Amino acid sequence: MAEQPLQAQDKLAFLLSLVPYLIERERVSVAEAARHFGVPPARIRRAVELIAVSGIPGETMQYQHGDLFDIAWDDLDQNDMIVLTNLVAIDDSPRLSAREASALIAGLQYLSALPEAGDPDAIRALMAKLSRGAGGASSNVAVGRDAHDASLAVVRRAMATRSGLLFEYAGPRARRAERRVDPLRVESIDADWYLRAWDLDRTALRTFRLDRMSAARVDDRPAGSHDGLEIPDTLFQRTGDDVIVTVELDSSSLPLVADYLADTADAPDTEHRVRIRLAAKGFDGVVRLVAGLPGRAVVIDPPAARDAVREFAASALAASDADVS
């Protein structure tokens, strides 16, 4: 079968992958590179010849010899080996500061815990490169493990094997009980993780907060097929026993609470403050919302929700005073 020509965007993507591959290995055979990328050796040779006439213009705005990539032509012609002998713009590339590298490493550590994250080995390799390449020693950064991490691992395993899931669950107003579900999707809002699942006992779609789950385990039975089930884009849907809580906050914080809104938000006032209404089954989520937006959110109604926030603030203040003393 004749080799299919690459489109322009595919050729660019191929070259962008090939150059760092050659730089990292320093010396590699055409055959080995062809096996790595799954392409014919002839395509590797043409790409290497194209790289050798690529570069950036120097101060004269003309392409001088030192402004182009170069390869060991004799090694390529006689031994079928690829060796880049001149690298363009590599030494002039900006380096990350230690603080920037530490921030990226922390983000990658968080990313590695996500169910939809790709290759964990690739993430670890990238973190190692960031640590080595920073313009100074990067800080030792660790992203703490939350209480839901064990449950999250079990949920991921159940979803990967298309199995059912069993766990103990305590809702905001319900006693702890065992739930049998078919896991469908895992999502997060800030630091909170939620499982969207088909509840077998209630024969309905339900949303579970992972930090309220315990004793999670993969069920022996296979998960049912729910291909025709429509999962709403928003995590929370109102039910008849919801309590409507009115909160005032600055309009810039509105995107952070969009999934919780019971209806549309009011128009901002002259001070860019806006009132919203939240549908809540309990006040713990409201308390967490206010605590997460210090000084930017105020509970207006009902009085019970205000009392819950006041009790939380008093408890936090007492704990702070105890630490100081």
Side-chain angles (χ1 to χ4, degrees), residues 7-321:
Q7 299 296 321
Q9 62 268 28
D10 297 329
K11 185 180 295 184
L12 176 60
F14 176 52
L15 289 175
L16 290 175
S17 301
L18 180 60
V19 170
Y21 170 83
L22 297 177
I23 292 174
E24 185 173 347
R25 282 154 183 79
E26 296 183 358
R27 178 182 173 86
V28 63
S29 70
V30 172
E32 182 181 348
R35 285 194 300 270
H36 177 83
F37 288 99
V39 299
R43 181 170 293 172
I44 295 292
R45 292 191 188 89
R46 288 198 300 271
V48 170
E49 291 170 358
L50 180 58
I51 291 172
V53 294
S54 303
I56 57 173
E59 296 180 356
T60 62
M61 298 307 294
Q62 297 179 359
Y63 288 93
Q64 305 296 329
H65 176 72
D67 301 329
L68 300 173
F69 283 96
D70 201 1
I71 65 173
W73 290 102
D74 290 343
D75 219 355
L76 178 65
D77 294 338
Q78 299 171 14
N79 305 316
D80 223 22
M81 301 296 295
I82 307 169
V83 180
L84 297 181
T85 58
N86 187 55
L87 305 179
V88 176
I90 300 300
D91 295 334
D92 297 331
S93 58
R95 299 188 68 188
L96 296 174
S97 67
R99 179 175 298 180
E100 290 169 334
S102 296
L104 288 172
I105 290 170
L108 287 168
Q109 286 184 337
Y110 176 76
L111 178 64
S112 66
L114 300 184
E116 59 271 27
D119 186 351
D121 292 333
I123 293 177
R124 284 193 291 270
L126 180 55
M127 288 193 293
K129 287 182 180 179
L130 285 171
S131 180
R132 293 194 303 268
S138 59
S139 304
N140 292 324
V141 178
V143 178
R145 295 286 181 179
D146 292 323
H148 61 243
D149 280 0
S151 297
L152 179 59
V154 177
V155 171
R156 293 173 65 180
R157 191 159 60 247
M159 295 179 68
T161 59
R162 299 183 181 275
S163 302
L165 185 68
L166 298 170
F167 55 88
E168 301 288 328
Y169 191 74
R173 296 182 180 177
R175 299 182 63 181
R176 186 172 297 276
E178 184 174 80
R179 309 298 282 268
R180 301 184 307 130
V181 306
D182 291 335
L184 301 174
R185 184 188 299 173
V186 176
E187 301 177 53
S188 67
I189 296 180
D190 297 329
D192 299 324
W193 286 85
Y194 298 87
L195 168 67
R196 313 285 287 276
W198 181 258
D199 192 312
L200 298 180
D201 296 320
R202 292 156 180 80
T203 61
L205 181 68
R206 289 290 186 265
T207 300
F208 302 95
R209 237 175 63 181
L210 264 65
D211 60 354
R212 290 180 178 155
M213 294 169 52
S214 62
R217 57 202 184 277
V218 178
D219 200 348
D220 293 334
R221 63 172 183 83
S225 176
H226 303 280
D227 294 337
L229 180 64
E230 182 178 351
I231 303 178
D233 291 334
T234 56
L235 274 173
F236 306 104
Q237 293 78 48
R238 290 186 58 180
T239 61
D241 59 350
D242 284 345
V243 177
I244 301 302
V245 180
T246 302
V247 178
E248 183 182 275
L249 70 165
D250 59 277
S251 56
S252 63
S253 302
L254 196 55
L256 302 177
V257 298
D259 277 325
Y260 299 93
L261 296 183
D263 56 20
T264 57
D266 295 344
D269 60 20
T270 55
E271 297 181 351
H272 302 290
R273 302 284 292 178
V274 61
R275 287 196 176 189
I276 61 173
R277 283 155 293 281
L278 309 175
K281 291 180 172 60
F283 299 135
D284 56 339
V286 176
V287 169
R288 286 149 53 89
L289 170 66
V290 175
L293 298 171
R296 292 187 286 169
V298 178
V299 175
I300 305 299
D301 193 65
R306 293 174 58 85
D307 291 341
V309 173
R310 187 181 296 109
E311 290 172 5
F312 169 81
S315 175
L317 183 59
S320 176
D321 290 342

